[in-house]
Amino acid sequence: ALLRVPPFDSTRPGSGAAPGSALDMAVGGGWALRTSRKTAFGVSGQVIQRDLSGYRAGSFGAGLGLLYQPNRKLKLGLAAANLGPPMKFVESGDPLPSMVRLGASYQAVESEDVGALAAFQTDVGAGYSRLSFGVEGSYMGLAFLRAGYVALHDALGLCLGAGLKWKSYLALDYAFTPLAEQNLGGLHRISLGVGLPGPFLRAPGRPRGTLTKKGLKVSWKESPSWDIQGYNLYGRKEGEA
């Protein structure tokens, strides 16, 4: 992810001081494991580089997360983010914004062509709090448009975003977030996600039917993916169309 704040006057107007600038860059990755059909656990890590008007600092952060999905449409999440040492500029250290994050999403519309999702999230940390709401519309699972509202702490106002996704392997996202300090403008976030190959969604293997005294017994090879939660079976009697 790359975050850049345009040049701004860090002193009172007319002071003659050179404009300041800020640039953050983070490169990271994550690993997740679905522990059951309803729960999943994940860990993440990232290397962070920050440039503040020519002064540079670096650090690394880690995160832990838990996802619970009681049904197909509802998801609940709990995570701890930005766990790591402070970023040191010259002699003073700037601690990472460690936080606990709680969120929920609901898939209001889901079809082969379009989808609509509503989400809520709250972040709480030391001297830090944020509350946000958002909606997302999708087309064919490939293109996404997002809008939301962020309140409290360092961001305030309407947020906009868009994204492109190719299967589960590649995702490109853009988001704009206004900053609470009006003279700092807004925050533009661009991120690229790459997924590693994993179990493919495959159709069930060739089914087998066996007549028993109690009826017809049908068996097939189970799919290797947790994303398939069941199958629909259809049968017909001899002579039916």
Side-chain angles (χ1 to χ4, degrees):
L2 180 65
L3 290 78
R4 181 179 181 274
V5 177
F8 59 92
D9 190 351
S10 58
T11 62
R12 58 186 177 85
S15 65
S21 62
L23 176 67
D24 282 8
M25 183 177 67
V27 179
W31 175 84
L33 174 67
R34 187 176 288 275
T35 55
S36 72
R37 295 188 183 276
K38 293 186 177 182
T39 59
F41 172 78
V43 296
S44 64
Q46 59 182 343
V47 177
I48 307 168
Q49 294 292 326
R50 176 172 296 175
D51 187 305
L52 184 59
S53 297
Y55 293 94
R56 297 183 178 180
S59 183
F60 64 89
L64 303 171
L66 179 65
L67 177 68
Y68 176 64
Q69 186 173 358
N71 56 56
R72 184 177 179 85
K73 293 180 176 292
L74 179 63
K75 293 182 180 180
L76 305 173
L78 177 64
N82 298 326
L83 306 176
M87 304 187 69
K88 190 174 183 180
F89 289 94
V90 190
E91 296 182 356
S92 60
D94 185 13
L96 296 182
S98 300
M99 70 182 75
V100 175
R101 176 172 294 161
L102 176 66
S105 67
Y106 184 77
Q107 189 78 40
V109 178
E110 185 178 18
S111 69
E112 294 183 358
D113 296 330
V114 297
L117 179 145
F120 154 82
Q121 178 178 303
T122 180
D123 303 338
V124 179
Y128 179 99
S129 62
R130 178 186 294 175
L131 186 65
S132 56
F133 304 87
V135 293
E136 176 189 82
S138 61
Y139 177 71
M140 300 292 290
L142 300 174
F144 302 84
L145 291 177
R146 306 178 181 103
Y149 189 85
V150 180
L152 308 180
H153 195 62
D154 60 347
L156 180 65
L158 180 66
C159 306
L160 300 172
L164 296 173
K165 184 178 181 181
W166 183 71
K167 296 184 178 180
S168 58
Y169 306 126
L170 190 64
L172 178 65
D173 291 290
Y174 164 79
F176 169 77
T177 303
L179 299 178
E181 295 293 337
Q182 296 182 2
N183 60 335
L184 295 182
L187 190 64
H188 299 269
R189 185 193 304 266
I190 300 174
S191 62
L192 177 67
V194 179
L196 299 177
F200 293 95
L201 292 176
R202 301 188 304 183
R206 183 178 298 175
R208 295 181 178 181
T210 305
L211 285 174
T212 66
K213 293 181 179 180
K214 296 183 178 180
L216 177 65
K217 179 180 179 181
V218 180
S219 62
W220 60 87
K221 292 183 179 179
E222 186 177 0
S223 170
S225 174
W226 283 98
D227 292 331
I228 295 181
Q229 300 182 6
Y231 302 98
N232 293 324
L233 301 179
Y234 302 92
R236 65 182 180 183
K237 297 180 181 180
E238 292 185 5
E240 290 184 346

